[in-house]
Structures are given as C-alpha cells and as structure tokens.
Amino acid sequence: MNDAAPRVAAFAETLLGAPLPVRIRAWDGSEAGPPGGPTLVLTHRRALRRILWKPGELGLARAWVSGDLTVEGDLFDLLDRVGGLLWERDPEPGWAARSAGPAALLRDADARAAVRGLVGLARPWPAPAPPPEEAVRRRGPRRTNASDKQAISHHYDVGNEFYERALGPSMVYSCAYWRPGGSLEDAQRDKLDLVCRKLALRPGDRLLEVGCGWGSLALYAAREHCAKVTGITLSREQATYAGKRVADEGLADLVDIRVQDYRDVQDGPYDAISSIEMAEHVGAERYRTYAHTLYDLLKPGGRLLDQQSARRPWPDEEAYRVDEFIDAYVFPDGELSPVGTTVGELERAGFEVRDVEALREHYALTLRAWVARLEEHWEEAVRLTSPGRARVWLLYMAATALGFEHNRLEDC
C-alpha cells in the first residue's frame, strides 16, 4: 500500500501541532499536504532513518546533503513556509513540549504513537553513515591555530573553480553594496570602494587585510588607492589564486599574500586593517584576543573596518547554541554574536567606535544573487565538487538569505 507520505505528514503535524505548510512526496509515489506549492520529496526511506537516528536539524541536514531529501519547486518558498512555522509563530499549548526535543516528544501520547509508526515505516536499521561532506572533528581544544586552519580549509578549500561559478568574476565572498538597477558585479565593486573610503586609504598606507579571500579587496586597494596591502588567509587554495591575480595585474610591488594566522602577524604597525566576514570564525571565547591583537597591530590613530554577520540577542544568552547544520557542514566552529556584544569587545580592546552601518538587506540580495548563479551553473558546480557539497552551499545560502530578510540575522 502506497501510504508513506500521509503517514509522514501525520507525524510532522503531530510534532508541529499545526497543518503541514508544504506538500510531501515519498519514495513509494504517495503524496500528502497542500497542493500548488513546493514539494518536499523523500527519495528514499533512508531519509527517515537519518532523522530518527539524529532527531532535529542535523538529521534533516544529513538527509538533504545525501540527496535522500530534495525539494521540487521554489526552495526559498519552502524554507520560508517551514521557517515561518518553526521560528516566527507564537507557541501554542502543547507545541513547546512537542518541539522541545526527543524526551519531551515521547511524553506526549499522540507523539509516541506517531513515532512508533514512523519507526515501522523507516525500518531504521542500520544507522546511515553521515555524508562525506560533514566536517571531521579533530581531537583537542578548539580555537587553536591548527583547529582554525582545519575549519577554514573545510569551508574554503573546495575548489576555486566552484567558487567562481557561485560568486561570479569578482570573487568577492562577502556582502555586496547594492544600488537600484545594479548588477552583482556593480554591487561588489561598490562594496570594495565603500571599504576603502571608510578606511580613508591614502597612497602609501599600509593595509592589513585579515581573511583576504581570493584577493579582490587587496587588488582594489592597491590599484585604486595605491595602498601597500598585506593579505592573510589560512586557505592555501585562496592564497594561490590571489597570488596569481596579483602577478597577472603587475601589482606584486604593492600586494603581499600570505598563508598566515592573524595571531602570527609580527610586522606591524599598520595604518589600517580590514577584517571582512572573517570574525565569525573567531568565536566568542577568543574574540577579546582577536580585538586586542588587531588593536596592537595598528599605528596610533589607525583605522579598523570590521564587518561580520551577527545574530539577534537571546533572552538567555547561556542557552545559545550554534546552528547544527552550519557547524557540521558550512563553518565548523563558527559562531555569531549580537552587534552590541561585538561593539563592546572592540571598545574594551581600546577602539573608539566611529561608525556602524547595517547591511542586512544588502546581504539578503547578495545571497539571492549567489543562489541564482549556483543554480544557473549547477551541473558544473556538481562536477567541480560533489553533489553533496553543492547541496550544502545551496541550502546554506538560501536559508541565510531568508534569515537576513526576516531580521533573524544582521550584518554590520
């Protein structure tokens, strides 16, 4: 009997305490849920095994990355519908207990019955192995030079050609600065110009770029402002790519690209430092060290431009936990802090905060542009990495775009 989808839908509605906002199609061809919108497709009963063995976001992520769970239709629409149900509704009686975790779920009689039915449907043995794209955890303490290098490599060393397909010719992997009617390339050029203007770069100024990526800002600052730029990254693939761009443009006398941790930079002081979308890798426990290190690398009166994504503050900050999907597949050991926390740490390090600009809407537009590029070049992207890796980036960028649009995330 082809009834997998109705049974899965019934379980989901019991868990959520609300009607299912999307349609479901199962591996047996059965369907359930509202028609006319995006469809969540379970291509194999193994998707249920993944969710049962690892309840919550990580199990869903493993099902998505492995291809056991796919989406037919508009991914943004599906994520928006599901996100609205999970994150933007007022809790109703019973909903909190059902969504609080496996222990609370099993205290609900209806939920227990639904779980038993799901276990029978999934045939949960054996436990599926995690997809190979999941980060391998090294033993020992986090936030060391070695662990940070491994985390950076997981995210960035997936192939420069893959990033070319997703980011476009500018190879700028940070929030662009959009004007009406502009293209992605226009917006990324304007962003580089904005950074240089905020830093008030003058000819001959020494600029340290912490997390230089593929060299776009370093090249722009040297070419357009005659700055002497030192760009550092922990990614060898990025450094090789950036170094070639520097040589091709004949700017080797102005730009030095290094594979180096910011904690190991010894050739200060600098007139200016830019750190763009890098501090998310630092983590709250090391942020004070990061801020003091950059302060000590600047000349008196030097300028720091620190841009990073942020999260909304939690009523109980002790309860904050890093997103499981992001930690396992995108930014291992990455962490977001509220804007106020970051500003406070920079001030404690000695900085005077002169300007804060919110770029939330700009980042949402940037991510949507990257998603469009990735979908346009999907077959190439898969060939250049793996189907799972391309799926990681698609989900990460689409979900993050919605996070910015709904003010769950900020960027300053």
Side-chain angles (χ1 to χ4, degrees):
M1 185 167 66
N2 294 350
D3 63 349
R7 292 168 67 182
V8 172
F11 169 79
E13 291 181 348
T14 299
L15 175 65
L16 296 171
L20 198 66
V22 298
R23 194 159 184 80
I24 290 179
R25 182 184 306 129
W27 59 91
D28 62 357
S30 62
E31 297 190 16
T39 300
L40 196 63
V41 182
L42 286 74
T43 63
H44 195 284
R45 71 175 74 242
R46 188 170 46 240
L48 298 183
R49 293 177 194 154
R50 294 187 184 280
I51 295 167
L52 287 169
W53 278 100
K54 197 67 177 179
E57 186 172 308
L58 187 55
L60 287 167
R62 287 174 172 174
W64 167 265
V65 175
S66 66
D68 294 334
L69 186 69
T70 67
V71 171
E72 185 177 289
D74 189 330
L75 177 61
F76 285 102
D77 187 12
L78 182 136
L79 292 174
D80 212 14
R81 294 183 188 208
V82 174
L85 185 63
L86 294 177
W87 302 313
E88 295 172 12
R89 57 176 285 178
D90 294 327
E92 299 173 356
W95 180 83
R98 285 190 290 269
S99 62
L105 180 66
L106 293 178
R107 288 194 291 267
D108 185 290
D110 291 339
R112 287 199 304 271
V115 169
R116 285 195 296 270
L118 201 63
V119 168
L121 184 63
R123 302 171 191 169
W125 303 98
E133 291 81 8
E134 189 165 314
V136 178
R137 297 294 179 185
R138 60 180 293 132
R139 296 180 179 177
R142 299 190 312 158
R143 314 295 184 196
T144 65
N145 291 39
S147 66
D148 285 354
K149 189 170 185 177
Q150 182 186 41
I152 293 296
S153 179
H154 175 87
H155 185 82
Y156 294 103
D157 292 341
V158 299
N160 294 328
E161 290 183 316
F162 168 78
Y163 275 106
E164 286 177 340
R165 302 307 186 275
L167 304 182
S170 69
M171 287 296 280
V172 179
Y173 191 27
S174 66
C175 172
Y177 197 68
W178 294 84
R179 302 180 190 277
S183 66
L184 175 62
E185 293 307 303
D186 294 334
Q188 291 293 18
R189 183 198 60 242
D190 289 344
K191 168 62 179 304
L192 300 178
D193 184 65
L194 177 69
V195 170
C196 293
R197 286 190 288 109
K198 282 181 177 285
L199 287 171
L201 291 181
R202 298 179 294 268
D205 276 357
R206 296 189 71 212
L207 169 65
L208 173 65
E209 186 184 4
V210 180
C212 65
W214 291 273
S216 300
L217 175 60
L219 290 167
Y220 189 89
R223 185 176 61 244
E224 303 297 330
H225 295 269
C226 298
K228 296 180 179 179
V229 186
T230 299
I232 60 172
T233 176
L234 294 179
S235 166
R236 292 196 175 276
E237 288 195 20
Q238 284 186 334
T240 299
Y241 190 99
K244 183 177 185 304
R245 294 178 74 187
V246 170
D248 289 346
E249 291 204 26
L251 292 171
D253 58 329
L254 290 176
V255 180
D256 177 28
I257 302 294
R258 307 173 186 168
V259 178
Q260 188 175 37
D261 192 287
Y262 71 93
R263 290 163 287 196
D264 297 330
V265 176
Q266 302 291 331
D267 60 349
Y270 287 86
D271 297 288
I273 298 176
S274 65
S275 178
I276 300 176
E277 306 296 352
M278 174 273 172
E280 295 90 335
H281 297 288
V282 173
E285 64 188 276
R286 299 286 186 183
Y287 200 89
R288 190 163 297 181
T289 298
Y290 163 83
H292 279 279
T293 300
L294 299 192
Y295 184 84
D296 291 341
L297 284 168
L298 280 169
K299 293 179 179 178
R303 291 90 61 197
L304 167 69
L305 188 146
D306 180 87
Q307 180 191 350
Q308 60 192 80
S309 297
R311 59 176 172 84
R312 304 292 295 175
W314 283 40
D316 177 11
E317 281 292 316
E318 295 297 321
Y320 168 70
R321 296 292 181 270
V322 176
D323 181 283
E324 286 186 306
F325 166 64
I326 297 296
D327 191 48
Y329 287 97
V330 186
F331 291 111
D333 293 342
E335 193 172 350
L336 302 183
S337 294
V339 174
T341 301
T342 297
V343 169
E345 290 292 357
L346 292 171
E347 289 183 320
R348 277 186 279 274
F351 287 104
E352 176 191 6
V353 178
R354 299 297 297 267
D355 177 63
V356 178
E357 182 172 359
L359 300 174
R360 178 172 65 82
E361 295 87 352
H362 292 271
Y363 218 151
L365 291 171
T366 305
L367 285 157
R368 280 187 175 266
W370 287 341
V371 168
R373 282 196 56 86
L374 182 56
E375 290 179 330
E376 179 185 354
H377 299 282
W378 184 255
E379 296 301 326
E380 290 178 275
V382 167
R383 176 177 56 81
L384 291 167
T385 51
S386 69
R389 183 70 64 190
R391 292 170 65 79
V392 166
W393 256 247
L394 180 64
L395 178 59
Y396 145 62
M397 292 192 295
T400 306
L402 292 172
F404 283 113
E405 289 174 0
H406 291 285
N407 198 20
R408 293 192 294 267
L409 296 173
E410 182 56 274
D411 194 74
C412 295

